Amino acid sequence: MPFSVEFYKKPTIQVAKNLLGTFLAHESTQGMAVGRIVETEAYLYNDPSCHGFRGETPRNKPMFGPPGHAYIYFIYGMYHCFNVVTAPVGVGEAVLIRSLEPVEGIDLMQQRRQRTAIHELASGPGKLVIAMGLTREMNGANLITSPLKILPRESFPQKYPARKLPVVTTTRIGISSGNHLPLRFYLKDNPFISRK
DNA sequence: AAACGGATGGGCT
DNA sequence: GCCCATCCGTTTG
């Protein structure tokens, strides 16, 4: 069962931390792909590096909509990044999903990525969008009712039994403003994060 | 092991 | 016209 909207209504930094250890699942016509979220970044309305900072535009529209939806945008002419929308309607905030640990549908991910090494499949925001088969058309998708969902930490108890998950907090990657803010979060010692 | 640069196109000042 | 919330192969130390 996916999270209800209550999960996404909490403060954005809280959601960014709570997403660690949960699972992103996409059921496509090609098959099911599941990845464990191991690295996130928070983007806040009053932060110049946040797409929502200068107000709503056609591109960032989903950020200003209800929480619990996808915000997928095109970057560097070649890639897309996937975000989870947070904050109330009218407030443009989101959590960037930066890396996944492949869990299910690994053969499908390898096919989509044209790579065999497990560590290369989804250890970066552009990579995971490809591995999971996310497309531009899924921008704005409802993460509770659409084929793209987020599942709680307890969803795969045989592989990931309940335990404390130490979280490291540090600065974000690839931005040119707000660099000093402690808004990047990842699971300590996890080998699937994009960068140390 | 780290640094570098090319690919490639939409968004916004 | 410049700036990107990136990735990957190649070069350099």
Side-chain angles (χ1 to χ4, degrees):
Chain A
M1 282 282 288
F3 286 115
S4 76
V5 70
E6 298 307 316
F7 177 85
Y8 302 99
K9 283 183 174 174
K10 300 190 176 69
T12 298
I13 291 175
Q14 193 64 52
V15 178
K17 292 179 182 173
N18 290 349
L19 279 168
L20 295 173
T22 69
F23 302 89
L24 183 64
H26 180 210
E27 184 159 25
S28 76
T29 55
Q30 299 175 285
M32 176 67 92
V34 180
R36 183 174 180 238
I37 297 173
V38 298
E39 179 183 354
T40 62
E41 286 179 358
Y43 285 85
L44 311 179
Y45 77 98
N46 58 354
D47 157 26
S49 71
C50 177
H51 289 179
F53 180 66
R54 286 166 226 284
E56 186 177 331
T57 68
R59 174 172 76 146
N60 64 24
K61 188 176 175 64
M63 287 188 93
F64 288 84
H69 289 244
Y71 169 47
I72 298 173
Y73 68 91
F74 186 55
I75 187 74
Y76 292 117
M78 306 181 64
Y79 299 103
H80 295 269
C81 292
F82 167 70
N83 295 254
V84 172
V85 173
T86 57
V89 172
V91 180
E93 301 195 341
V95 175
L96 171 69
I97 308 302
R98 277 201 62 91
S99 49
L100 302 176
E101 175 178 341
V103 175
E104 216 174 85
I106 290 176
D107 49 342
L108 182 54
M109 295 188 194
Q110 289 169 324
Q111 198 177 306
R112 285 168 169 160
R113 283 274 297 135
Q114 302 284 301
R115 290 280 185 292
T116 53
I118 309 294
H119 295 82
E120 301 300 319
L121 296 180
S123 54
K127 299 180 195 177
L128 73 89
V129 164
I130 297 170
M132 295 295 290
L134 310 187
T135 64
R136 204 183 304 248
E137 297 87 60
M138 300 164 70
N139 186 31
N142 186 322
L143 296 175
I144 296 155
T145 60
S146 81
L148 182 62
K149 295 182 166 65
I150 297 181
L151 312 174
R153 288 179 176 181
E154 314 78 67
S155 301
F156 298 85
Q158 68 291 355
K159 192 162 184 185
Y160 300 98
R163 61 163 68 89
K164 281 248 181 193
L165 299 177
V167 171
V168 177
T169 300
T170 178
T171 53
R172 293 171 297 179
I173 293 176
I175 53 174
S176 51
S177 59
N179 311 41
H180 61 288
L181 300 171
L183 294 175
R184 174 176 175 240
F185 311 98
Y186 62 87
L187 292 182
K188 188 170 186 291
D189 300 325
N190 189 284
F192 294 89
I193 62 173
S194 62
R195 275 170 49 181
K196 268 308 228 189

